Amino acid sequence: MPLKVILSRRSARLAALAAGALLLAGCAGQMQLLENGRTHPGSYNSASGTAEAVIDGVRYTGTFRNPPPISLGVGVGGGSWGGGFGGVGVSTGTGYGGGGYALLRSPDGSKVIECYFSTSFGSGQGQCTGLDGRRFVLVIGG
């Protein structure tokens, strides 16, 4: 087999492996919950829909949802006075960022933290509130 064919097959395999690694890397990331000058570390995995954070030495776990933003629009145009005719149009599209939601629970389930956030290209921020009234700023990625 010619050397050129062997190299192109190897290059194709390496490119496929690299693409797969990038896809998997895009599913998981780091997050932080900021509270009164303190930082609580965490992580998420959008592929499995899970998240976790360590707050005051307690490991909270839960769900993570960040659906892609999708829009749908319908427009109707009227005709002119001179007898022209209008038209109807439908458009769909996706944006660069979306709104997400995370729900974290303490191991015994007695403490719950609810987060709402928006992201763009793997980074974002939002707000989290505990049922006990604690408030956090959520930073994703970056």
Side-chain angles (χ1 to χ4, degrees), residues 11-96:
S11 298
R13 243 185 258 136
L14 288 174
L17 286 173
L22 284 173
L23 181 63
L24 290 175
C27 298
Q30 299 298 310
M31 65 183 195
Q32 300 174 4
L33 283 80
L34 311 176
E35 177 190 34
N36 298 325
R38 296 174 37 202
T39 301
H40 307 287
S43 62
Y44 68 91
N45 186 317
S46 58
S48 64
T50 59
E52 66 177 44
V54 177
I55 301 170
D56 298 331
V58 177
R59 184 173 168 256
Y60 288 70
T61 59
T63 58
F64 183 90
R65 303 280 183 262
N66 192 20
I70 299 174
S71 63
L72 172 66
V74 177
V76 179
S80 65
W81 285 104
F85 53 90
V88 176
V90 176
S91 68
T92 62
T94 60
Y96 290 107

Side-chain angles (χ1 to χ4, degrees), residues 3-15:
L3 182 59
K4 189 174 186 178
V5 172
I6 293 171
L7 287 177
S8 65
R9 286 182 183 172
R10 177 177 276 173
S11 298
R13 243 185 258 136
L14 288 174

